């Protein structure tokens, strides 16, 4: 496995290895401080970022490498140089490429033409690096035995909902995406892929349009902002109205298991997708979750550059 382009690229064994190594990096960030010695890692972002940029640059630095951050307007792509040519040029200078952008097709084209590992750090379709951080956080709270547990995402059927369903299916979990029906539901093809993976892993994948039924006895309630980068402002009022029943309120959270946790990929809009008393409450794990963006990207770089991941 050369690249991580989609969450579904990962096998269960890959995820287990990545989480084990990430947990070790959480304990000792510099345990492999020469793994990328004398190597450079390109970090290319056409979308603004806080966690992804900071976690990527620190992950590279903790492995002894040099991060090279590139904004979207700093490459010749903006003047018509092809993605294929760009991939080949970056491959000549760097040992891996982390990319955060809009179109999934652009990431896949980079992966096809680069000779170095390409890591998808978010597209409009998927967010695999976030889900690795999420699952390490889940494991810290509940351990490896997740039998009888339900993990619920509430809100927009966006890239996060897609990654949530796919990763949960890989891990053999009972995962739910509770969203409005219609245009803000998860992509039907992604749901089908997740269900096919779950059929082999022993997991269970559900799409619900009832936030209360979905939240009942859940171990995790997870949400994301309602308006993502690139969303049309002209649809804001319609979208907020449709998503309002899926806001994580104290009342909704009260339906969950006693040891349940609240998760959010951040940034958050308190009073919109989640009440402040929930996200800032004692069962919120958002800061540990954000911390693991670094440990899991560090683990990804460590194993992908060594060719340790097998993929599906």
């Amino acid at each position: 496995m050369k690249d991580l382009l989609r969450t579904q690229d990962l096998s269960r064994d890959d995820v287990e290895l990545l989480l084990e190594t990430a947990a070790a990096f959480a304990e000792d960030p510099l345990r492999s401080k020469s793994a990328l010695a004398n190597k450079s890692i390109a970090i290319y972002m056409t979308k603004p970022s806080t966690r992804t940029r900071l976690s990527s640059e620190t992950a590279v630095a903790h492995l002894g490498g040099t991060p090279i951050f590139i904004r979207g307007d700093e490459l010749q792509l903006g003047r018509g140089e092809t993605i294929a040519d760009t991939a080949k040029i970056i491959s000549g200078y760097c040992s891996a490429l982390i990319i955060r952008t809009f179109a999934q097709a652009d990431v896949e084209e980079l992966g096809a033409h680069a000779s170095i590992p390409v890591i998808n750090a978010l597209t409009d379709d998927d967010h695999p690096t976030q889900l690795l951080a999420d699952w390490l956080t889940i494991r810290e709270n509940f351990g490896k035995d997740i039998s009888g547990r339900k993990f619920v995402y509430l809100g927009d059927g966006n890239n996060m909902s897609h990654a949530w369903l796919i990763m949960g299916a890989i891990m053999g979990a009972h995962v739910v995406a509770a969203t409005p029906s219609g245009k803000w539901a998860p992509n039907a093809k992604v749901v089908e892929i997740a269900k096919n993976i779950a059929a082999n892993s022993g997991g269970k994948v559900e799409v619900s349009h009832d936030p209360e039924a979905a939240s009942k006895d859940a171990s995790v309630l997870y949400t994301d902002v309602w308006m993502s980068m690139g969303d049309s402002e002209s649809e804001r009022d319609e979208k907020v109205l449709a998503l309002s029943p899926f806001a994580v309120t104290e009342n909704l959270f009260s339906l969950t298991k006693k040891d349940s946790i609240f998760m959010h990929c951040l940034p958050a809009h308190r009073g919109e997708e989640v009440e402040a008393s929930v996200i800032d409450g004692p069962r919120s794990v958002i800061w540990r979750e954000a911390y693991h963006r670094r440990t899991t990207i560090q683990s990804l770089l460590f194993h992908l550059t060594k060719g340790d991941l097998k993929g599906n």
Side-chain angles (χ1 to χ4, degrees):
M1 177 178 170
K2 180 176 78 72
D3 309 308
L4 176 57
L5 306 179
R6 289 181 179 269
T7 304
Q8 68 202 54
D9 293 344
L10 294 165
S11 69
R12 176 69 177 269
D13 287 344
D14 291 333
V15 177
E16 294 288 352
L17 176 62
L18 289 167
L19 296 185
E20 180 181 353
T21 302
F25 282 137
E27 292 293 324
D28 180 5
L30 301 179
R31 67 192 304 268
S32 299
K33 61 184 179 182
S34 61
L36 294 179
N38 304 314
K39 295 180 179 180
S40 299
I41 306 297
I43 304 167
Y44 174 54
M45 296 188 181
T46 64
K47 286 186 173 186
S49 169
T50 300
R51 281 149 296 280
T52 303
R53 177 172 181 177
L54 289 170
S55 61
S56 296
E57 292 198 25
T58 35
V60 174
H62 287 163
L63 292 171
T66 301
I68 301 177
F69 181 77
I70 311 162
R71 290 193 299 267
D73 60 353
E74 293 179 331
L75 293 183
Q76 296 288 358
L77 274 168
R79 297 178 60 230
E81 186 164 24
T82 68
I83 290 175
D85 288 355
T86 301
K88 293 170 185 174
I89 291 297
I90 293 174
S91 297
Y93 296 129
C94 298
S95 296
L97 167 63
I98 299 171
I99 177 168
R100 176 183 171 94
T101 191
F102 293 89
Q104 180 69 31
D106 290 352
V107 173
E108 293 180 0
E109 189 173 355
L110 282 165
H113 293 280
S115 59
I116 58 174
V118 175
I119 296 172
N120 175 357
L122 180 137
T123 64
D124 289 346
D125 288 3
D126 207 341
H127 201 350
T129 57
Q130 177 67 53
L131 262 294
L132 288 169
D134 294 341
W135 268 90
L136 183 52
T137 308
I138 287 169
R139 183 157 289 182
E140 284 183 336
N141 281 272
F142 302 120
K144 289 187 177 183
D145 183 4
I146 55 171
S147 55
R149 293 196 177 274
K150 180 171 61 169
F151 305 99
V152 181
Y153 169 93
L154 297 119
D156 186 14
N158 57 12
N159 51 1
M160 274 306 307
S161 74
H162 297 162
W164 183 257
L165 292 175
I166 295 288
M167 184 64 86
I170 291 170
M171 299 304 288
H174 178 190
V175 283
V176 182
T179 74
S181 58
K183 62 183 177 181
W184 290 301
N187 181 280
K189 184 177 180 181
V190 173
V191 175
E192 181 182 0
I193 291 169
K195 287 184 174 180
N196 288 338
I197 294 171
N200 292 318
S201 70
K204 182 180 180 181
V205 169
E206 290 186 83
V207 175
S208 170
H209 307 306
D210 184 337
E212 291 190 1
S215 301
K216 179 67 174 174
D217 295 325
S219 291
V220 170
L221 292 189
Y222 195 117
T223 194
D224 188 11
V225 293
W226 288 347
M227 296 297 293
S228 299
M229 283 176 280
D231 282 357
S232 172
E233 281 296 318
S234 65
E235 291 187 331
R236 175 180 285 276
D237 289 345
E238 179 189 2
K239 191 173 187 181
V240 168
L241 182 63
L243 290 170
S244 291
F246 298 87
V248 183
T249 62
E250 288 280 5
N251 286 338
L252 202 62
F253 201 50
S254 70
L255 300 174
T256 63
K257 285 182 175 290
K258 290 183 178 179
D259 65 347
S260 67
I261 57 175
F262 172 78
M263 303 181 73
H264 195 306
C265 52
L266 301 179
H269 294 159
R270 291 163 175 81
E272 194 166 274
E273 75 273 6
V274 59
E275 286 185 348
S277 57
V278 174
I279 194 171
D280 298 321
R283 290 194 282 168
S284 173
V285 296
I286 59 169
W287 307 124
R288 186 64 174 176
E289 183 184 359
Y291 171 76
H292 282 314
R293 293 300 309 283
R294 190 268 298 165
T295 65
T296 47
I297 289 176
Q298 191 173 354
S299 179
L300 260 176
L301 286 167
F302 180 80
H303 288 296
L304 270 180
T305 55
K306 295 202 307 171
D308 293 337
L309 304 184
K310 305 304 180 185
N312 287 316

